[in-house]
Amino acid sequence: MNRLLLVPFYEHPADRPEAWSALVDAAPSLYSVVVNPASGAGETADPAFAEAAGRLKAAGVRLLGYVDTDYGRRPHAEVVTDLLRHRDWYGTDGAFLDQVATAPDALAHYRRVAVAARSAGAATLVFNHGAHPDPGYEEFADLLVTFEGPWDTYRTLDLPAAAHYCHLVYAAPPGVRPVTPVHCAVPGTGAHPWGTLPHLLEPAR
């Protein structure tokens, strides 16, 4: 089974152009790249992000628009607005929904969100729970992020691995390979770990 990288790279293309070029060069190894201009699509289109997104798309990379759902507390209309802006401004063909609830009492809410995302053109839908969710969520998304956290925690856990699960690990040393087929492990630490590229892409920088 192929191991592919889902890269949540939250750096502006003007600040890290060489890193965005590395992502383009690594296109064959990528499951997707998360497009996140402003903890979401932002209030206006960002030309630098649009250009970077266009290069990735031309290279055949699946683009996921970042949308914070605040564990079900963010109003549905705001979520839909973010989905549409990502599609219209950056040409995303999928969505990365962050801070997704894990408990069954939010299933109806996320069923509605998933329908809206598909209607907005999300051919690929990723739910980032950050922990293992109720199994009811599995029918709504193509991929569930069932772990997001530091390597020191990850290495102590015996987490289920499945084709539709994804593990995102930060503060990871070189050579770390999460157990899920789709994954990402980066060296970044602190409040902004996803400002670094996966170790596997470092030689391309």
Side-chain angles (χ1 to χ4, degrees), residues 5-10 23 30 32-34 183-184 196-198 201:
L5 295 171
L6 186 160
V7 182
F9 185 54
Y10 302 157
L23 287 172
L30 302 180
S32 61
V33 171
V34 181
H183 62 265
C184 191
T196 55
L197 287 174
L201 300 191

Side-chain angles (χ1 to χ4, degrees), residues 4-205:
L4 299 173
L5 295 171
L6 186 160
V7 182
F9 185 54
Y10 302 157
E11 282 289 321
H12 196 278
D15 297 330
R16 296 286 307 282
E18 78 291 345
W20 285 91
S21 294
L23 287 172
V24 173
D25 293 341
S29 68
L30 302 180
Y31 176 86
S32 61
V33 171
V34 181
V35 178
N36 185 16
S39 295
E43 294 301 316
T44 58
D46 184 321
F49 262 99
E51 190 273 337
R55 290 169 59 207
L56 285 167
K57 197 164 188 178
V61 177
R62 181 189 286 122
L63 302 178
L64 306 179
Y66 175 95
V67 181
D68 184 3
T69 70
D70 195 22
Y71 302 105
R73 293 185 293 263
R74 190 176 184 206
H76 182 78
E78 290 184 12
V79 170
V80 172
T81 295
D82 248 4
L83 290 166
L84 294 173
R85 285 176 174 173
H86 276 300
R87 180 196 69 188
D88 296 343
W89 294 346
Y90 306 112
T92 56
D93 42 23
F96 181 88
L97 302 186
D98 198 18
Q99 299 198 108
V100 176
T102 58
D105 59 2
L107 283 168
H109 173 80
Y110 281 99
R111 180 183 294 111
R112 186 178 177 218
V113 170
V115 168
R118 299 296 190 188
S119 297
T124 301
L125 188 54
V126 178
F127 279 8
N128 182 14
H129 303 275
H132 210 74
D134 182 271
Y137 289 93
E138 297 189 8
E139 67 179 278
F140 305 149
D142 301 286
L143 200 65
L144 304 181
V145 178
T146 56
F147 177 87
E148 180 183 354
W151 166 246
D152 281 350
T153 299
Y154 186 71
R155 66 180 180 176
T156 68
L157 303 175
D158 183 17
L159 297 172
H164 60 292
Y165 293 162
C166 173
H167 294 163
L168 301 178
V169 183
Y170 54 81
V176 165
R177 298 290 184 274
V179 298
T180 51
V182 179
H183 62 265
C184 191
V186 301
T189 60
H192 185 48
W194 303 112
T196 55
L197 287 174
H199 283 288
L200 290 175
L201 300 191
E202 291 298 326
R205 287 177 57 184

